[in-house]
Structure formats: structure tokens, C-alpha cells
Amino acid sequence: MKMDMIIMAPVLLILLGATEILQADLLPDDKISLLPPVNFTIKVTGLAQVLLRWEPNPDQEQRNVNLEYQVKINAPKEDDYETRITESKCVTILHKGFSASVRTILQNDHSLLASSWASAELHAPSDQINPPLNVTAEIEGTRLSIQWEKPVSAFPIHCFDYEVKIHNARNGYLQIEKMMTNAFISIIDDLSKYDVQVRAAVSSMCREAGLWSEWSQPIYVGKDEHKPLREWFLIVLMATICFILLILLLICRICHLWIKLFPPIPAPKSNIKDLFVTANYEKAGSVETEIEVISYIEKPGVETLEDSVF
């Protein structure tokens, strides 16, 4: 029995030593160095919502240990929590700005090891925002389709109001429309040329309404179709002829040249009653003359006959 104990003692010592060595490899010691996370970013993902994201430091030695992360919200309201994943969502007000920090931690039963902090900040949005991006315009028949992207801003896409300005370069007509979407369709004259601009402002649903941004760079669409030179020449010629005739007509009317050059021709009487009266008068006059002549001849005739008879 003693012999067995003597033989087992070195074996137990060897196993105990191996266990200590294994535990030394598995458990962190005070000499391990923790490095802060890298590529820490803050991104706005919705109304009063941000996404914190980072990556483990590539130079961090692992040693078969599970690293954790401590997240600290600095503004607008302080908060502190731990997580094992490399991203975190946070709901908070954003119009006053947002800042946070994250560090690598390693906990055991005796102590807490931690790296230095990695920080990121989201500045409070100003009142003077950027104009919309990637404005495009396309004409299909008489439909003008306009699209754009939200400005570079911490606010999400649904936090913006927009104004679209459409200028008709042919007649100078200016159309301005206000909307909450990032697309607009207008019915236009497809024979004209247009320039299109868009501007943006933060809507009151996300914060107090701010100022409008500058207009985006103008986008030109359409074509100004001019009439052919020959057609314009005919139009000008006809207008000139009409103008000259009008001037001559006014001169003739003022100076009575028309009557002098073309005196009026007497027209025959067309009154049937007057014609009938005139005809009867002439006929009556001829009858009286005939009677007078006959009566003048009858007296001498009778005397002649009487003389001859007797």
C-alpha cells in the first residue's frame, strides 16, 4: 500500500502541475493587455434612433477568452451598459447632438480588466442644411419625372420637406411645388426646354422647422424647338404686307383719295313707280300734242270743203 502511494505521488504532482499550467493558459492574468475597439461609428437609422457599431482591435491577443464591451452614452443623456456583440442600437433625442464611447473589457471573479475608450460624436444638425443629392429629370412625352436623394444629414429620409422649382426657358413660366416625398411628376409642354432645381428643409415632425437649404445645381431637360427660317420669313412678310395695306387704307380715308381716284358712277333709277309715272307723263304729253295738231287742221279743212261744195 505504501508502495502504491509512493508511486502515485509523482503522478498526482504531475497532474496538479499540468492543471495549474492549463488554468494559467485559460484564465487571464494581470499581464494581458486589452486594446480598444476600432472603426467606431454612429449612424442615424430612424426617427430618434442611432446605431453604434465597432470592430475588435485586430492586434488584440485572444488567449481563448471571451471579450466583452462596455458602452457609455455621454450625451444627450448619460447611460452605461455592457454587450458581447460589436453593435448596439440606441433610442434618444438627436437635435442636441449625440456622443458615445466604447471599450474592451474582460471580467473574472477577482478583477475587471479594461482597455482605453474609443469615442465618436454626432454633431447637432445646423439650421443651414445641405441641398438634396443626385437630382435627375427625364421627359417622356408630356410627363416630366424628377427624383432626388435626401441631403447629407444626421436626420433620416422621412424628416425632410422638399420644394421643386421648374422653369420654362421658352416662356419664362416658373412652377414651385412643395412635397414630403423624393419624387415629383409634372405635365409639361414637350416643345420647351426646362431647368429643374430642388431644395430641402427639416420637417417639424423631427424637430423645430428650420431654414431651407440652397437650391441644387440646375438640371436641364427638353429642347426648345424653333420654327424653320423659311416659316419665320413668310410670317414676317405677311405681317409687313398687312401693315402697309392698313397704312394705305388710313391715308386714303383721311385724304379722300379713293373718291378722287374712283369717282362714283350714276346708277340708273331702279324705282318702278317713278319709271311708270314718267312713262305715263310722256305718253299723256304726246297725246295732247296730237290732239292739238288735229284740231288745228280740222278748221281749215272744213272751210276748204265748204268752199268746194258751194
Side-chain angles (χ1 to χ4, degrees):
M1 187 68 177
K2 290 183 178 181
M3 183 64 65
D4 293 338
M5 292 294 294
I6 294 173
I7 295 174
M8 291 294 295
V11 175
L12 292 174
L13 290 174
I14 293 173
L15 292 176
L16 181 61
T19 303
E20 292 293 334
I21 294 173
L22 181 61
Q23 288 180 351
D25 290 336
L26 292 178
L27 295 176
D29 55 14
D30 294 337
K31 295 181 181 180
I32 189 171
S33 177
L34 294 182
L35 301 177
V38 297
N39 299 329
F40 181 36
T41 59
I42 302 175
K43 182 180 180 181
V44 178
T45 57
L47 181 61
Q49 294 183 358
V50 292
L51 175 63
L52 312 180
R53 183 175 290 173
W54 60 90
E55 297 177 3
N57 196 305
D59 298 327
Q60 176 69 58
E61 36 179 333
Q62 299 295 325
R63 280 200 178 187
N64 298 321
V65 293
N66 294 322
L67 300 178
E68 297 183 16
Y69 302 97
Q70 182 181 6
V71 179
K72 183 178 181 180
I73 308 300
N74 302 315
K77 184 178 180 180
E78 292 188 358
D79 194 8
D80 193 317
Y81 57 91
E82 298 172 0
T83 180
R84 292 182 178 273
I85 59 177
T86 58
E87 66 178 28
S88 176
K89 292 183 178 180
C90 183
V91 178
T92 183
I93 57 176
L94 297 176
H95 66 274
K96 295 182 179 180
F98 182 88
S99 65
S101 302
V102 62
R103 66 179 180 177
T104 308
I105 61 173
L106 181 61
Q107 299 188 65
N108 56 35
D109 296 336
H110 307 287
S111 63
L112 172 66
L113 298 179
S115 70
S116 58
W117 293 97
S119 301
E121 184 177 5
L122 194 65
H123 294 286
S126 59
D127 290 338
Q128 296 292 359
I129 62 172
N130 297 312
L133 299 175
N134 299 328
V135 180
T136 59
E138 182 180 359
I139 293 179
E140 296 180 359
T142 58
R143 290 165 58 92
L144 173 59
S145 301
I146 307 170
Q147 293 183 336
W148 58 90
E149 296 178 4
K150 83 174 189 71
V152 177
S153 172
F155 289 102
I157 189 172
H158 60 268
C159 286
F160 292 96
D161 292 329
Y162 300 99
E163 277 190 349
V164 178
K165 180 169 65 175
I166 304 173
H167 176 247
N168 189 323
R170 185 175 184 181
N171 57 22
Y173 177 74
L174 188 64
Q175 177 184 1
I176 298 180
E177 300 290 342
K178 186 176 180 180
M179 65 210 65
M180 298 180 64
T181 60
N182 61 338
F184 178 69
I185 296 178
S186 178
I187 304 301
I188 60 167
D189 172 15
D190 58 348
L191 299 180
S192 299
K193 188 175 182 179
Y194 298 86
D195 58 270
V196 177
Q197 293 177 283
V198 185
R199 67 178 181 177
V202 179
S203 66
S204 57
M205 64 180 295
C206 295
R207 68 160 194 194
E208 293 182 3
L211 301 177
W212 287 99
S213 70
E214 297 292 332
W215 290 103
S216 63
Q217 292 296 320
I219 302 296
Y220 298 94
V221 290
K223 54 184 179 180
D224 195 2
E225 295 187 357
H226 298 282
K227 294 181 180 295
L229 183 61
R230 182 178 179 183
E231 185 175 349
W232 279 114
F233 175 77
L234 292 176
I235 293 175
V236 173
L237 179 61
M238 293 300 297
T240 303
I241 292 174
C242 292
F243 179 75
I244 293 174
L245 292 177
L246 179 62
I247 295 298
L248 292 176
L249 181 62
L250 291 176
I251 293 174
C252 291
R253 183 177 182 85
I254 294 173
C255 300
H256 303 286
L257 295 179
W258 189 262
I259 297 176
K260 294 178 181 179
L261 294 175
F262 305 98
I265 300 174
K269 294 183 177 180
S270 58
N271 196 318
I272 299 177
K273 182 177 180 180
D274 293 342
L275 183 60
F276 180 77
V277 171
T278 303
N280 289 339
Y281 175 78
E282 291 178 352
K283 185 176 181 181
S286 61
V287 171
E288 291 177 354
T289 304
E290 184 178 357
I291 294 172
E292 289 178 357
V293 172
I294 294 174
S295 63
Y296 176 78
I297 296 173
E298 282 181 351
K299 291 180 179 181
V302 173
E303 292 180 353
T304 306
L305 290 174
E306 289 178 351
D307 292 341
S308 62
V309 171
F310 295 100

